[in-house]
């Protein structure tokens, strides 16, 4: 058995305070669900109180009224952070297939004719993008037969526009042909658990 050392008045005050907190939590939940501004209840004396209204940067919010509370601001901040994280995760999971830029995640494949790794593109007449030979180890690749992988996924760090000056060149492209050499890094790991 639990023995209470509180007086009847203290017990009633604690019960009222718990009821006020429950009412405030329910009001906030209803407000969040209906996207309205919740009324902030002062739990100490069970009456509405004015809450500070600040925007995400911490300054006054445009068009705010004295009834808006920091709960709405925090909710908005969390929603924006979640959206930003979803965007970043989606971007990390995408693989670009045309018009490659710095920061794009791409698929490199080994081309038997060119004897080099190229970026896979769905546009046949577009410039070819070769993985720079000095950058193979960054993706765990090799041009040697025994250690050669058929493909790898990486993120473009830099790209250089080039033009072949010799007939016999290391990329095996015709003289005068324009192409890109790219430096890449391993794709950042994504958290697939969420």
């Amino acid at each position: 058995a639990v023995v209470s050392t509180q007086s009847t008045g203290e017990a009633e005050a604690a019960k009222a305070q718990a009821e006020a907190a429950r009412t405030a939590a329910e009001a906030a939940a209803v407000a969040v669900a209906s996207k309205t501004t919740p009324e902030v209840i002062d739990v100490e004396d069970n009456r509405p109180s004015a809450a500070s209204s600040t925007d995400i940067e911490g300054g006054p919010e445009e068009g705010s009224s004295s009834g808006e509370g920091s709960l709405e601001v925090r909710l908005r901040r969390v929603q924006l952070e979640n959206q930003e994280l979803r965007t970043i995760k989606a971007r990390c999971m995408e693989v670009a297939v045309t018009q490659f830029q710095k920061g794009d995640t791409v698929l490199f494949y080994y081309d038997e004719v060119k004897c080099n790794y190229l970026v896979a593109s769905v546009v046949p007449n577009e410039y070819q993008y070769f993985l720079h030979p000095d950058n193979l180890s960054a993706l765990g690749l090799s041009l040697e037969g025994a250690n050669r992988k058929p493909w790898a996924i990486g993120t473009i760090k830099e790209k250089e526009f080039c033009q072949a000056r010799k007939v016999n060149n290391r990329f095996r492209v015709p003289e005068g042909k324009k192409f890109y050499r790219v430096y890449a890094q391993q794709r950042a790991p994504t958290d697939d658990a969420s």
Side-chain angles (χ1 to χ4, degrees):
V2 176
V3 177
S4 174
T5 58
Q6 292 181 330
S7 68
T8 306
E10 290 175 337
E12 288 178 15
K15 185 177 178 182
Q17 188 174 4
E19 180 65 24
R22 186 183 62 75
T23 303
E26 289 173 353
V30 168
V32 168
S34 64
K35 295 184 180 179
T36 62
T37 305
E39 178 181 42
V40 178
I41 304 293
D42 185 348
V43 178
E44 291 299 317
D45 42 3
N46 197 20
R47 62 188 166 127
S49 66
S52 64
S53 52
T54 57
D55 65 4
I56 293 173
E57 301 302 320
E61 193 171 17
E62 290 182 29
S64 65
S65 66
S66 61
E68 276 189 356
S70 62
L71 178 62
E72 182 178 325
V73 173
R74 288 189 304 233
L75 176 63
R76 190 173 320 146
R77 182 180 298 128
V78 168
Q79 287 172 335
L80 289 173
E81 288 173 359
N82 284 342
Q83 179 61 38
E84 183 179 343
L85 290 172
R86 282 192 297 269
T87 301
I88 290 169
K89 183 175 180 180
R91 179 78 173 131
C92 289
M93 295 175 70
E94 290 178 349
V95 175
V97 292
T98 187
Q99 299 177 350
F100 308 108
Q101 301 297 322
K102 181 178 176 181
D104 284 350
T105 299
V106 296
L107 172 68
F108 293 97
Y109 71 95
Y110 184 77
D111 186 300
E112 297 285 340
V113 175
K114 305 281 187 201
C115 297
N116 276 290
Y117 285 92
L118 281 86
V119 175
S121 175
V122 295
V123 182
N125 296 330
E126 191 175 51
Y127 291 113
Q128 291 181 313
Y129 290 75
F130 290 88
L131 180 60
H132 196 291
D134 295 343
N135 192 229
L136 293 170
S137 62
L139 296 176
L141 300 174
S142 172
L143 295 177
E144 304 303 319
N147 298 327
R148 187 172 56 226
K149 296 179 185 176
W151 59 273
I153 295 179
T155 303
I156 295 176
K157 289 190 326 185
E158 298 292 330
K159 68 178 189 175
E160 302 170 338
F161 190 69
C162 304
Q163 183 172 4
R165 294 188 180 150
K166 300 177 186 174
V167 174
N168 295 325
N169 54 64
R170 69 171 121 179
F171 297 108
R172 298 187 182 186
V173 295
E175 183 180 13
K177 175 84 173 176
K178 296 177 182 177
F179 60 95
Y180 284 96
R181 273 191 321 198
V182 299
Y183 291 89
Q185 63 189 17
Q186 295 257 345
R187 179 176 63 170
T190 58
D191 181 18
D192 292 331
S194 57

